[in-house]
Each structure stands twice: as C-alpha cells, then as structure tokens.
Amino acid sequence: MAKYQIQTGKLAHHLFCLRSHYVLSMLPKLCVRTTHKFAGDLFEVGKYGTANISNRPKLLHKISVVMAHDDCIENGQYNNQSNSVPSDPDDDCNVSIACKKFPSIILGSSPPIELFDDSACYPDIASFLAAKSGENFLLNSTCEEWVQDSLDGTLSSLYSDLPDVGKSSVSEEYTLNTGSSLLPMNTETGTILSNPAVKGDSSKKELKAQNNAVSGRSFLDQSVGCISGLSKRLQRQLDDSGFHTLGKLLHHFPRAYADLRNPQVNIDDGQYLIFIGKVLSSRGIRASYSFSFLEVVVGCEIAERETNSGCTVDNNTGGKKIIYLHLKKFFRGTRFTFQPFLRSLGEKHKEGEIVCVSGKVRTMQSEDHYEMREYNIDVLQDEKDVSFYAKERPYPIYPSKRGLNPTFLRDIIARGIDALPINVDPIPEDITQGFGLLRLHDAYNGIHQPKSIKEADLARKRFIFDEFFYLQLARLFQMLEGLGTRIEKDCLLDKYRQPHLNAAYMKEWACLTQKFLKALPYSLTESQMKAVAEIIWDLKRPIPMNRLLQGDVGCGKTVVAFLACMEVIGTGYQAAFMVPTELLAIQHYEHLLGLLENMEGIENKPSVALLTGSTPSKQSRMIRESLQTGETSLVIGTHSLISEKVEFSALRIAVVDEQHRFGVVQRGKFSSKLFNNSFSSKIAAEYSDGSPSGDISMAPHVLAMSATPIPRTLALALYGDMSLTHITDLPPGRVPVKTYSIVGDDEGFEKVYEMMLDELEKGGKVYLVYPVIEQSEQLPQLRAATEGLQSISYRFQDYNCGLLHGKMKSDEKEEALRRFRNGDTQILLSTQVIEIGVDVPDASMMVVMNAERFGIAQLHQLRGRVGRGMKKSRCILVASTASSLSRLKVLENSSDGFHLAEVDLLLRGPGDLLGKKQSGHLPEFPIARLEVDGNILEEAHLAALKVLSISHDLEQFPALKMELSMRQPLCLLGD
Ligand SMILES: Nc1ncnc2c1ncn2[C@@H]1O[C@H](COP(=O)(O)OP(=O)(O)OP(=O)(O)O)[C@@H](O)[C@H]1O
C-alpha cells in the first residue's frame, strides 16, 4: 500500500492542541462524505503516493469551521433534535450530539431478527476470517485510508521527538478523546504521547505496541470517566447505571440485530419498519400562529409482492415500487412559527440525501403514502452505505439501561470499541485458536459492530466461552491449590482428562467390600461395576474425591454408594450417608441392615446407626458418642449429620444422596468435618487390610448422588470441579413403565378408575399422587390428597387406602409406607414426598393428578417409584386440560431420564429444573444459556484443564490469573 506523508507535522500538533480531539478522527469520515469533500481536496496525493497539504490556510480555516460547529454543539444548539441524548445545559460537550452532526447510523428499534440463531453452528473460524478479509468495511475507502495513514505518519514523526515515549518511567494514563480513540497521556506533562485516533494497519500496529506495556485488562478497568468530553453529569449517569468501567460498558451487548433491508412485504397500518430511502423534500411548515411542523418526505423503493387490495405484481415495474414516507414532527408555541426557525428546520435534511428511517407507519389517504410521527432518521454517509446495508449488515439494537438512551449507549460503546487495544485478550492465543474462538478484541467488535450475523454469533460464542471458562478455571484452580505436590496435581488433572483410565480392579478392593458384593442378592450391572471401580480408585488416592454419581431412577445407585462405604470402612475409616428425608434415611438403613445380615465370614460386621431429627435425644447422644469414639463405622441420616455436635473419629467418605436437595454449603460442611487426630485404632485394627493410606488430616471424599438426572451442562456449571460417573444401564428384567396421559374430565377419570381396578385385581399396588395435601380456595382446580382419600376409599371399598404427606409426623409417615410395602394397604394416596428414593419394588401403578403442575424431570422421578421390580407397570398422567397434554406426551415417548432432563431444561430453564435450593447456587451467566450452550461449556472445561496442565498455578499466564481474580466466580457460595 502506498505510504502517504503529511509534510506539515505542526498542523497535526495544532489539531491536538485543540480541545475537541474528535475533529481529528472525523477527518477520515469527512473525506468520504459527499458533502464534506474538503479534506480530500486539501490533501493532494502526489505521483509517488506522497500526500501534501496544498492549501494549509484553507484547511486550518475548515478545521476552525468544524471546531465552531463543535462549539455550537457544545452550546446545545442542537438539543431539540429528535432522539437526542440526555442534554444538559451544564454539559461542556455533549458527545452524542456532537457525533450526531456527523453521519452515524442511529436507529430506534426495528423488527428484530432473533438474536442468535441457535441452529447456527459455529463454522470454522478460518473460513470466517477469510470471508471477513474480503469484505468492504464501512470506513475502508481508499480516501479514508490515506488520510489515516497520512495523519498517522505525521503524528509518528511529530511524536518521535518527544522524549521517553513508551518508557516505563513515564506514567501513562489512558484517555479516550472525543474522536473515539485512545490517547495515552503523559500525566506529568499533560501531553498526548501519540495518536491512535486514526485507523488502518499501521496505527493498529502502533496501538498494539503502545499497549504492550499496559495489560489489556487495565484498559477495560479504566473508569468511563476517561472518555474525555463526557460531561460530569453523563459520567455520573453512566456510573449510576453500573457502567463504572470501560469493560462494563463494552459488556452492554446488543439485545438483537435488525435487518436493514427494505421490507419485502405488504405494509400494514401500525407496523414498525425500517427503510432506506432518499429525501425528496424537507420543509418546516407554519400551520397556525402557534403551531408548526417539519415534514420530510422520503421515497423508498420496496419489492412489490401483492398490493393491499390483493392485486398481483406489475411486471412492468420489475416487481418494485416507490412508497412515500411523510415524517412529521410537530411544534407548539409561537416561537416555533418564525421563518428562520422553520427554514433551519427544513434545512436539516437535504434533498437527495440517502437516509435510513425507522418508525411506526400509518397509511395515508393517497395510495403508497405513509405517515411516520415517531421516527428515527439517520443520514447514511454516501451511496456506498446503501450497498453496505443491502449486504445485510446486522444493525445492533441495544437495551436501554436505567434511562440511558440506547442511542447514546451505542455512541459511547462505539468509541470504546475504537479505542480497544488489540492485546486485550488474557486467554492465550493457542487456546482461542484451538477452540475456534475469536480473539477478545475481534469479539468486542463482532458483537457490537458485526458484519454479519455469523460474526455476531462467533463473538457471542467467545463471550459465552469466557463466562464458562473462568468458572471452570477457578474451580479447578482452587482444587489444585488445595493439593501439595506437583505429582498430586498432575494426577488430579489426568483424572479429569482421562476418566476411563481411573478404575481399580476388584482384587484391589478391600476384603469387606468384596464380601459385601458377594452377599448381594443380585449381580451388579456392568455400569454399576464400573462406577464402583472408579470410585474405589478415587478412594485410594491421597486427594479428596469429589464425584457425582448420576443414573436414572431405579438404576441402583444406592448399592454402589454402600460398596464405597464398605471400602473405607474396610480400610479402617468411617462413612456418613446423608439423605434429604427421614423416610429415605429409614429406608436406606433397613436396606443396608438387610444386606449386612446376608454377609458371611465377617465376625464383626460394621456397626451402622440411624441419626435423624426424630431420633430421641438420649439415643442421638449415644450415637454421637459412638461416632466420636469410632465404635460406629457408618451413620445414615438427614441434615442432622452436619450439625456441629456430630463429630467423627475418622470420617473418610461422605455420601450425599439426592444431593441437589442440599445446598452447596451443606455439602461443604461435610467436607469440613476433618479428621480427628485421635484416629480410632480400634476400627483400623478390626477391618483394615493394611495401614490406611493417605494423610490422616485429609478432608473426606465426597460422593454426591443425583436421581434427578442433571444434564451434563448443568452438572459442569454447578460442580465444575466434580468428576462425573454415570450408571447407564438398568438392572436386568426391568420392563419400561408404560405411560399414558389423559385429560381429567369425567370420562378420563372413569378410564383411570377402570385401569386401577384392573391393576388391583391382578394383585398390584397403586400410588395416587396429588399436587396438594388439602383443597385450597385459591386453587380449587387442584386435587388434594386428604379429600381424595374419602372418595377413593369409597370407590375402592374392597381395598385398603393409606395416606402419606409431608405434614404427617415422621413415625406416621414411616408407618404408612411400611403398611404399603407389607401389602396392608394397596392404594397409597400421597403428595410428591414419595418422589425421592421411595423403593417399594412391587408397586406397579401410579396415577398423577393435575400432572401439568409438575416438571417433566419431576414426573420422571415420580414415575420411577413404579417399575422397580419385575412387574409390568403403568403410569397415568392426568392433565387438567387438553392443552397441557402435549407437554406430557414427551413422557409417553421416552423413559430416558437424561433426555427428559434436557427437555425440561429447555422448557423451564435451569432454575426450575434444579429447584430453588440448588439453582440459587448456579452462577449467573449474563449471556450464556445453559439450555443451549452446553457444548461451549464442555469446551471451556477442556480449555481450563489444558491451561492448568501447562501451568498449575497460572504463573505462566499472569493476565489470565489477573482476570480470574477480577471475576471472582467463586463468590457464589452461600445457602
Ligand atoms: N444390579 C441389580 N440387579 C437387580 N436389582 C438391583 C440391582 N441394583 C439395584 N437393584 C435394586 O433396584 C432397586 C432400585 O435400586 P436403588 O434404590 O439403589 O436405585 P436408585 O438408583 O437409588 O433409584 P432412585 O434414584 O429412584 O432412588 C432396589 O430395589 C435395588 O435393590
């Protein structure tokens, strides 16, 4: 490219001495405007590509004209413009208005394109970038380039004379000048060190060089106050709106992008549309002594399909027609009727100007004429822009924030973007490249000023990636910090990278574990075995395990957890098993005692205790004492296990069943029950196959279990530092539960009762699940369990009915469940208390009332209470209305818990899927949507692993470490 030089360096210096630096940056733009050709004319390009200023006085004059212009603006003369930004007489310079004097594309809202096309995959970045390089940029005209280069050259030569530029001894402070550019200031001398106000390759390189000394982060952390020319009031307003830093400002992303092509459809009254057209006339009209209006008529060519009267397209016009938009703005008051005012009003738009207009259209009496009263009008720079917009460049639509006008925000963001240093990205380039991500600088550009929706999508992907990446990085980083040696750290990272390699052979298991396995009344399924082997591998490491065991309802997670407990007991330690309900605690306790009874060849079987809120205090004290002395090796219980009073002698594993019912803090409390130094040698002597491995003061291993299958995305977001184990198969002989959805009208209920009778006659047991315990006046349509008891007992007089709900005392609940299990009752009317873990293998039918009140994942859980034995089972979902049937049909068609959880995630979002307790711990993802961005989360997880395996302590990536500490993604703990 030709190298241009401006001979008169002092001129540029003069420019900089002028207070409003934005003039400088406007010069390139002025050159490309048809109405402001002077700058182009003044710089003559020589034969050898050298530009000279041919008429310096003329140029200076023009500049002073522009400056006067600026002064006018500063004096608020243009404050009555439509869409003006908040104007303030105190403002020394209203930047947004200033920018308005020069072409800027400012639109209000318009028919938004759906923000991001979810179906769009992220194409290969290389092809995208290739496409990008071939595109014409708005500001890329040759004319502009040479002005930029000229100025650049001049300024370089000008500032090469300045001492110590770029040296670390110079304290640098960045300021954004009014010309949208970043100017490093020498705070000692107050001089500007160099000019980045211009664009183009060389200036970008220079900018990069300048910013090498200063981390990109410090740019983003600067106060918005560094945008010079911004009045104190606007600064305050930005600050009050949460835009304390440039970074925060640049993170105010468009909510949608508009398609600026003229509409191709019939225009209906009241539609909000955007048109590109040509100004045909502009007049200020006096209508009465105190009333006037501005009328700008814009002619727009639109593609004709069908006229409103239904006629077909006229072939003679090539399928196009002109429509006339009458943009009207009204003024009341005698002072607005004076000729000078009306003249200046009319002169605001020139005939022939190409404009972009948006607003609500109203049909006028004459055909093809439309009125717009609330409108935005923007002058496009020249005809080229039309082709530019015809290229479907998406137009960003910003949300307003605390009364800040989106137009103003767009202006100010654009200036921040222009000044953004290239090296702003803290993530190493090979990581971004490896995952097909834009560099941060390009991503900011791409999201705020995309050239295509594809680019906006890529940019969005980068920001979503960042949201996930720093979270994953922080969690893994914290885990590594807790470990001592490099080998341990590598070992932990390997575990995440190659989980399939981490399994202990059965012969390595403790003797107790092997005997327990042998005593089971069934053989474990393949994935149960794999899960046990993975967990035992972890238990043998000197690093605390943090594992999530997931599996569909009834897949047999409990027995896997029992085996893990046996392993630690077998090596001389204690185990604790925490469940969310008393009912479940009792069930597990009885189940385990039953299994232990079958064990042979063990003299001292592990002593198991049950500790819940209802355990009598004397008994509970005894249990606590036995835990402290180590006499009890396994305790099953509810929240009471994490009470301060409970102390363990040698706790090695904490199993948290239905872990999503507990908060993060509750789970964390388990981990904090550190080993008591008075390690019980008694237990060790009884069961130990050898000396207990690992550090005695190590935090216990945590095995969390989830029966509500959490999609991997959510699991990673919630527990990025957890290893995941899936049980993928069901015990043999299980017959999928046949599911029906039925409308709960009289006819529907008759059908349900018939099916129930059929089931009972065959010796089956039936659960009836109700959404509420008692009928409520507020929601009379909801069926209640207590009312149901009367009618069902009456209807099925030959059978016994039981009732189970959360308001019953614990022994009443236990009794109700026991009677149902024994067969004393054949029908159990219940609320959703039975959703979790209740295991009555011969229960064969479930009817869920007002089923639409439950989430898909919840219904799947409920349904999992039947079909737990060999019996063919049925589940009937009774919907209140026919319209809610379609959602329930998903359950008819699938029995895959993970698939259903994904569906639920999509339908209800993570908050509802996880429930209040757990979703409260989900970090906030301002732009990511866990429902659809799971693949990016997976990539972020891998990227975090990659970075940490290169540098465990992130010392090799100081920028990344700094960014991580700024984001503090782990401040979300709390219950
Ligand atoms: N390998 C197996 N073969 C046969 N039956 C099994 C096997 N594993 C577990 N079971 C039985 O399957 C039933 C369900 O097991 P369990 O309660 O452990 O499932 P779960 O995964 O915890 O289910 P939920 O999440 O619904 O509580 C139990 O009655 C259990 O005894």
Side-chain angles (χ1 to χ4, degrees):
M1 193 173 70
K3 176 86 187 127
Y4 303 110
Q5 280 184 339
I6 297 178
Q7 310 271 307
T8 321
K10 279 184 187 161
L11 172 64
H13 181 69
H14 183 78
L15 286 175
F16 275 117
C17 294
L18 298 170
R19 189 164 52 83
S20 296
H21 302 297
Y22 85 97
V23 173
L24 188 63
S25 71
M26 288 319 301
L27 279 174
K29 290 182 183 167
L30 298 176
C31 290
V32 295
R33 286 179 72 198
T34 46
T35 44
H36 293 278
K37 284 234 171 357
F38 67 87
D41 296 342
L42 293 171
F43 293 97
E44 285 172 4
V45 184
K47 173 159 94 173
Y48 301 106
T50 309
N52 292 307
I53 295 174
S54 60
N55 192 340
R56 182 168 170 266
K58 201 172 166 189
L59 175 61
L60 287 175
H61 170 71
K62 285 287 181 184
I63 287 165
S64 62
V65 169
V66 176
M67 293 308 298
H69 211 102
D70 187 18
D71 287 337
C72 289
I73 296 158
E74 289 180 17
N75 293 334
Q77 285 194 8
Y78 297 94
N79 278 358
N80 61 0
Q81 286 194 2
S82 65
N83 319 313
S84 61
V85 294
S87 60
D88 182 355
D90 302 337
D91 289 356
D92 13 282
C93 175
N94 194 328
V95 175
S96 195
I97 291 179
C99 293
K100 268 177 181 303
K101 281 314 294 173
F102 298 97
S104 60
I105 313 302
I106 303 159
L107 291 173
S109 37
S110 59
I113 294 174
E114 253 314 290
L115 180 47
F116 299 109
D117 180 8
D118 287 332
S119 62
C121 54
Y122 300 105
D124 183 20
I125 194 164
S127 64
F128 163 72
L129 290 174
K132 179 177 158 179
S133 63
E135 224 167 313
N136 287 328
F137 292 93
L138 176 64
L139 299 169
N140 220 13
S141 74
T142 318
C143 179
E144 187 189 14
E145 267 172 23
W146 74 252
V147 175
Q148 286 168 351
D149 284 358
S150 307
L151 289 174
D152 196 21
T154 309
L155 295 169
S156 333
S157 65
L158 174 66
Y159 292 111
S160 62
D161 299 343
L162 284 171
D164 290 329
V165 172
K167 281 191 186 165
S168 54
S169 60
V170 177
S171 79
E172 283 184 8
E173 179 185 281
Y174 281 82
T175 176
L176 284 167
N177 75 349
T178 33
S180 324
S181 292
L182 184 76
L183 297 178
M185 301 270 295
N186 182 329
T187 46
E188 281 161 22
T189 61
T191 50
I192 297 155
L193 298 180
S194 63
N195 163 43
V198 286
K199 294 184 178 182
D201 284 350
S202 59
S203 65
K204 275 187 182 160
K205 270 180 214 150
E206 194 185 328
L207 205 61
K208 191 175 174 182
Q210 288 160 9
N211 287 302
N212 274 342
V214 182
S215 115
R217 176 80 235 179
S218 61
F219 173 86
L220 293 173
D221 285 341
Q222 282 187 97
S223 149
V224 283
C226 70
I227 302 176
S228 65
L230 203 60
S231 75
K232 289 219 164 61
R233 181 172 167 268
L234 287 175
Q235 261 181 47
R236 212 172 36 245
Q237 245 182 310
L238 282 168
D239 213 46
D240 291 347
S241 307
F243 299 122
H244 313 298
T245 60
L246 287 172
K248 290 238 183 276
L249 189 66
L250 295 190
H251 269 261
H252 186 69
F253 296 140
R255 65 178 156 79
Y257 298 93
D259 184 348
L260 295 189
R261 285 169 301 175
N262 282 347
Q264 310 256 316
V265 290
N266 293 335
I267 298 169
D268 294 326
D269 213 16
Q271 264 182 307
Y272 196 101
L273 294 171
I274 298 183
F275 297 93
I276 307 279
K278 197 180 257 182
V279 173
L280 301 178
S281 70
S282 170
R283 292 182 304 156
I285 300 166
R286 183 175 188 268
S288 75
Y289 76 97
S290 65
F291 182 62
S292 65
F293 65 93
L294 165 73
E295 183 183 48
V296 182
V297 181
V298 178
C300 308
E301 195 177 68
I302 66 161
E304 191 178 26
R305 278 195 191 156
E306 264 182 21
T307 61
N308 286 344
S309 52
C311 301
T312 45
V313 175
D314 179 359
N315 287 336
N316 299 330
T317 59
K320 301 217 165 159
K321 70 169 178 176
I322 301 287
I323 58 154
Y324 303 90
L325 302 175
H326 297 250
L327 316 180
K328 288 185 181 161
K329 189 155 281 180
F330 299 94
F331 300 88
R332 206 171 282 280
T334 29
R335 66 201 166 110
F336 298 121
T337 57
F338 296 133
Q339 273 313 314
F341 172 77
L342 294 175
R343 211 175 306 117
S344 75
L345 207 60
E347 283 168 1
K348 273 177 72 178
H349 292 288
K350 310 234 162 359
E351 235 175 80
E353 249 175 4
I354 304 293
V355 288
C356 187
V357 179
S358 64
K360 203 185 258 187
V361 288
R362 285 191 194 184
T363 43
M364 294 172 78
Q365 273 185 347
S366 358
E367 200 181 336
D368 294 335
H369 285 254
Y370 300 90
E371 193 181 70
M372 270 190 184
R373 291 190 177 190
E374 297 275 313
Y375 62 86
N376 285 304
I377 179 164
D378 298 281
V379 181
L380 301 183
Q381 290 190 344
D382 62 6
E383 294 270 351
K384 267 191 208 138
D385 283 352
V386 182
S387 58
F388 168 80
Y389 283 104
K391 273 173 145 187
E392 302 168 39
R393 185 174 176 135
Y395 189 79
I397 310 283
Y398 286 89
S400 59
K401 194 160 178 198
R402 295 219 194 140
L404 282 179
N405 184 329
T407 308
F408 167 68
L409 286 170
R410 180 180 305 120
D411 284 353
I412 217 84
I413 288 170
R415 296 172 58 216
I417 291 286
D418 279 355
L420 192 67
I422 285 172
N423 66 338
V424 78
D425 203 338
I427 301 184
E429 198 161 352
D430 55 339
I431 297 283
T432 49
Q433 249 173 23
F435 288 93
L437 299 166
L438 291 182
R439 298 293 293 155
L440 198 53
H441 176 271
D442 296 335
Y444 277 121
N445 272 289
I447 205 147
H448 289 291
Q449 295 161 357
K451 285 166 216 61
S452 64
I453 281 288
K454 207 197 265 178
E455 187 186 1
D457 264 349
L458 266 175
R460 174 180 169 269
K461 182 189 174 185
R462 170 59 208 259
F463 289 110
I464 293 172
F465 178 90
D466 280 13
E467 284 178 4
F468 292 142
F469 173 74
Y470 289 106
L471 182 78
Q472 298 294 314
L473 192 68
R475 291 197 161 146
L476 293 165
F477 179 78
Q478 270 197 341
M479 278 188 81
L480 291 179
E481 288 250 288
L483 299 178
T485 65
R486 190 180 170 87
I487 297 171
E488 280 173 8
K489 291 181 183 186
D490 280 335
C491 170
L492 182 81
L493 291 172
D494 271 351
K495 201 176 87 179
Y496 284 104
R497 277 194 299 257
Q498 299 159 308
H500 55 280
L501 296 180
N502 312 317
Y505 293 111
M506 215 210 295
K507 60 177 187 303
E508 297 167 18
W509 299 5
C511 177
L512 182 70
T513 320
Q514 296 190 33
K515 288 198 170 144
F516 185 85
L517 181 69
K518 250 192 221 156
L520 289 176
Y522 44 76
S523 339
L524 293 191
T525 63
E526 202 181 314
S527 62
Q528 275 175 316
M529 276 302 275
K530 201 168 146 250
V532 178
E534 274 179 16
I535 294 166
I536 292 184
W537 189 88
D538 263 3
L539 297 179
K540 290 181 176 295
R541 304 296 107 190
I543 311 156
M545 170 180 79
N546 197 12
R547 190 172 278 277
L548 176 67
L549 175 62
Q550 288 212 81
D552 216 337
V553 274
C555 68
K557 294 179 288 292
T558 319
V559 71
V560 172
F562 284 162
L563 280 158
C565 293
M566 291 306 130
E567 180 69 20
V568 299
I569 297 168
T571 49
Y573 295 96
Q574 287 173 301
F577 203 123
M578 184 163 78
V579 296
T581 66
E582 227 164 349
L583 217 55
L584 200 53
I586 297 163
Q587 186 181 285
H588 282 347
Y589 177 68
E590 288 174 352
H591 185 188
L592 182 61
L593 288 185
L595 294 175
L596 287 173
E597 248 172 48
N598 294 344
M599 272 173 77
E600 287 164 6
I602 292 266
E603 268 179 38
N604 293 317
K605 291 188 181 162
S607 59
V608 182
L610 174 71
L611 186 66
T612 69
S614 321
T615 312
S617 56
K618 193 174 162 201
Q619 202 182 334
S620 133
R621 200 179 55 243
M622 281 164 59
I623 294 172
R624 287 202 308 267
E625 276 169 18
S626 68
L627 286 171
Q628 213 169 8
T629 59
E631 261 170 72
T632 295
S633 34
L634 197 159
V635 61
I636 298 179
T638 51
H639 295 77
S640 22
L641 291 187
I642 51 170
S643 112
E644 295 287 321
K645 289 189 241 162
V646 179
E647 281 179 19
F648 293 86
S649 156
L651 179 65
R652 191 85 216 233
I653 188 169
V655 178
V656 188
D657 194 8
E658 305 292 342
Q659 53 77 41
H660 66 285
R661 307 268 160 179
F662 297 101
V664 173
V665 168
Q666 286 165 328
R667 273 185 276 125
K669 272 190 183 169
F670 243 176
S671 311
S672 67
K673 287 195 176 294
L674 293 173
F675 274 58
N676 187 328
N677 279 342
S678 62
F679 168 63
S680 166
S681 54
K682 182 168 170 262
I683 311 178
E686 271 177 23
Y687 302 113
S688 179
D689 303 337
S691 60
S693 57
D695 186 355
I696 209 162
S697 62
M698 192 182 85
H701 299 288
V702 174
L703 177 65
M705 299 203 288
S706 170
T708 306
I710 302 177
R712 190 175 147 80
T713 319
L714 268 190
L716 268 181
L718 268 172
Y719 332 105
D721 50 353
M722 270 189 165
S723 319
L724 297 178
T725 296
H726 276 178
I727 299 184
T728 47
D729 46 15
L730 288 176
R734 291 277 167 84
V735 190
V737 180
K738 184 98 185 95
T739 305
Y740 306 85
S741 41
I742 286 179
V743 182
D745 49 17
D746 291 347
E747 199 186 324
F749 267 107
E750 270 318 307
K751 230 190 252 174
V752 172
Y753 295 143
E754 270 171 36
M755 287 163 96
M756 279 175 67
L757 193 62
D758 174 54
E759 194 66 37
L760 292 163
E761 281 172 352
K762 283 195 277 184
K765 289 180 186 170
V766 181
Y767 288 109
L768 288 181
V769 183
Y770 291 84
V772 287
I773 302 172
E774 279 158 12
Q775 199 95 43
S776 94
E777 279 178 17
Q778 283 81 24
L779 294 165
Q781 74 279 19
L782 294 192
R783 291 182 175 257
T786 44
E787 277 78 16
L789 184 64
Q790 290 171 13
S791 56
I792 296 290
S793 306
Y794 182 73
R795 176 101 196 191
F796 297 92
Q797 291 184 3
D798 295 339
Y799 300 93
N800 294 329
C801 300
L803 182 68
L804 180 68
H805 59 73
K807 278 195 185 161
M808 286 161 65
K809 286 195 186 123
S810 125
D811 51 348
E812 289 170 352
K813 280 192 264 183
E814 206 183 308
E815 177 64 10
L817 198 59
R818 194 189 55 73
R819 281 169 57 79
F820 187 59
R821 196 174 276 131
N822 292 347
D824 296 343
T825 52
Q826 296 80 33
I827 303 172
L828 183 65
L829 291 94
S830 154
T831 55
Q832 64 197 84
V833 282
I834 58 152
E835 176 192 344
I836 320 161
V838 167
D839 187 31
V840 180
D842 55 351
S844 51
M845 185 174 201
M846 172 171 282
V847 181
V848 186
M849 309 292 175
N850 302 101
E852 74 286 347
R853 306 283 301 184
F854 301 90
I856 301 278
Q858 210 177 1
L859 286 171
H860 179 64
Q861 272 297 305
L862 279 168
R863 175 171 68 173
R865 300 308 111 205
V866 293
R868 294 170 83 83
M870 308 295 250
K871 234 171 170 213
K872 218 170 162 191
S873 304
R874 286 181 279 185
C875 175
I876 304 166
L877 306 172
V878 184
S880 312
T881 57
S883 59
S884 41
L885 277 184
S886 59
R887 190 170 72 96
L888 301 175
K889 291 267 180 227
V890 187
L891 284 139
E892 277 186 13
N893 302 328
S894 172
S895 55
D896 175 352
F898 283 93
H899 168 70
L900 292 171
E902 300 273 1
V903 172
D904 221 13
L905 182 62
L906 263 175
L907 288 177
R908 299 196 298 159
D912 281 342
L913 173 68
L914 296 172
K916 206 168 137 211
K917 196 153 212 164
Q918 181 151 315
S919 61
H921 299 296
L922 259 184
E924 268 190 30
F925 298 117
I927 103 163
R929 277 168 57 208
L930 282 170
E931 304 88 297
V932 289
D933 296 323
N935 50 345
I936 306 177
L937 177 55
E938 295 268 0
E939 288 178 358
H941 181 70
L942 291 176
L945 280 171
K946 194 169 172 186
V947 165
L948 286 169
S949 51
I950 298 170
S951 176
H952 290 157
D953 48 9
L954 293 180
E955 284 305 314
Q956 279 184 43
F957 306 108
L960 205 52
K961 199 168 179 180
M962 184 175 166
E963 180 70 27
L964 191 63
S965 62
M966 300 294 292
R967 291 193 176 226
Q968 295 179 327
L970 288 184
C971 57
L972 43 105
L973 287 182
D975 220 10

